[in-house]
Amino acid sequence: MKVCLLAGKIMLESGAETYRVEDTMVRIAAAFGLDNSHSYMTPTGIIFSIEEPSHMTRLIRIASRTTNLYRIDRVNSISRSIHLGELTVTEAFRALQETEREKPNYPSWLMILMAAVVSGCFLLMFNGTWEDVLPAVLAGGLGYITAVSMEKVVPVRFFAEFSGALIIGMTSVWLVRAGLGRHLDLIMISSVMPLVPGLMITNAIRDLMAGHLISGLSKGAEAFITSFAIGAGIAFMLTFL
C-alpha cells in the first residue's frame, strides 16, 4: 500500500497524466500479488484500495504540482523492476523515497537562462528579426525570474504568472521605446512562451480522451486560469503604458 501510494504521489506531483498514475499503481500492486486493487485520483488527491487479503483504503493529499519528467521516468523504471521481480517491497519503497528526496536536476540559474534563450528562439520561430532577439531574451528571463520568485513568496500560481507577465510587458515596452527592439507584439508573445502551461493543457486533453473527466476538467480549468493570468498581466501593462 505504501509503495503504491508513494509511486502515485511522486508521479502526480511531477506532472504525469492521471491514467498513467493509476495504471502504474495497479501494476505495482499486481506485481506484489494484489490483483484486486483500485485507484482513483484527482489533481489534488489519491484514493487507493485493496480487497485482499484484507480490505484497506487510504487517501493522501497532493499539495503541490510541477513538471519533472525525470522523476516520472525514475518511477517508471522502478515499476518495471518491480514487475520483473528485481525489487522487493522494502527495496522498492527505499528507491521511491530516494527519488522523492532528490533535488531538482537543474539549478535555478540554468532554468532561468534556458527560459531566456527559449524566448529568443521562439521569436525567430515566429518570423521575428534578429534585432528583436535581445529584448525577447531579456524580457523572457526577467519574467521567468519574477514568476519563480513570486511563487515562493505567494504559493498561488495565478499571482506568479500574472507578475511574470506584468514584468515581461513592462520590459518589452521599455526596450522598444529605448530603440533596442522594433516589433513589440512578437517580443511579448515569444517572452511569455516559457510561462504557458503547455504540458498541463496536453495532460488535460489526454485525460479527457482516456475518460478521466474530473481530472481532465480540473487540469483544463487550471490551465485556463494560468493562461488568463498571463493575458491579464500583459493587458494590464499595455493599458497603463
Side-chain angles (χ1 to χ4, degrees), residues 11 26 29 47 80-81 91 98 104 119 133 197 205 209 219:
M11 294 184 71
V26 171
I47 300 175
R80 285 191 291 268
S81 297
E91 292 172 343
E98 292 175 357
S119 299
V133 171
I205 296 174
M209 294 177 65
K219 292 179 181 179

Side-chain angles (χ1 to χ4, degrees), residues 31 35 67 100 117 146 156 175 189 196 205:
D35 295 323
T67 301
E100 186 181 32
V117 172
T146 303
V156 179
L175 290 175
I189 293 171
V196 174
I205 296 174

Side-chain angles (χ1 to χ4, degrees), residues 86-136:
E86 298 174 354
L87 295 175
T88 63
V89 175
T90 303
E91 292 172 343
F93 189 66
R94 187 178 297 115
L96 289 170
Q97 285 181 317
E98 292 175 357
T99 301
E100 186 181 32
R101 287 194 297 263
E102 286 181 351
K103 296 180 179 179
N105 298 334
Y106 307 106
S108 298
W109 66 266
L110 182 59
M111 296 179 64
I112 294 170
L113 177 62
M114 290 299 101
V117 172
V118 164
S119 299
C121 294
F122 269 115
L123 183 129
L124 296 176
M125 191 179 71
F126 294 150
N127 295 323
T129 59
W130 281 99
E131 62 181 321
D132 292 331
V133 171
L134 180 60

Side-chain angles (χ1 to χ4, degrees), residues 1 4 26 28-37 48 50 52-53 56:
M1 176 73 77
C4 294
V26 171
I28 291 176
F32 287 128
L34 302 175
D35 295 323
N36 294 321
S37 63
F48 187 68
I50 58 175
E52 298 176 0
M56 289 190 299

Side-chain angles (χ1 to χ4, degrees), residues 146-162:
T146 303
V148 172
S149 302
M150 184 60 66
E151 194 168 7
K152 294 179 180 179
V153 177
V154 182
V156 179
R157 193 181 186 93
F158 179 89
F159 293 109
E161 304 290 349
F162 178 84

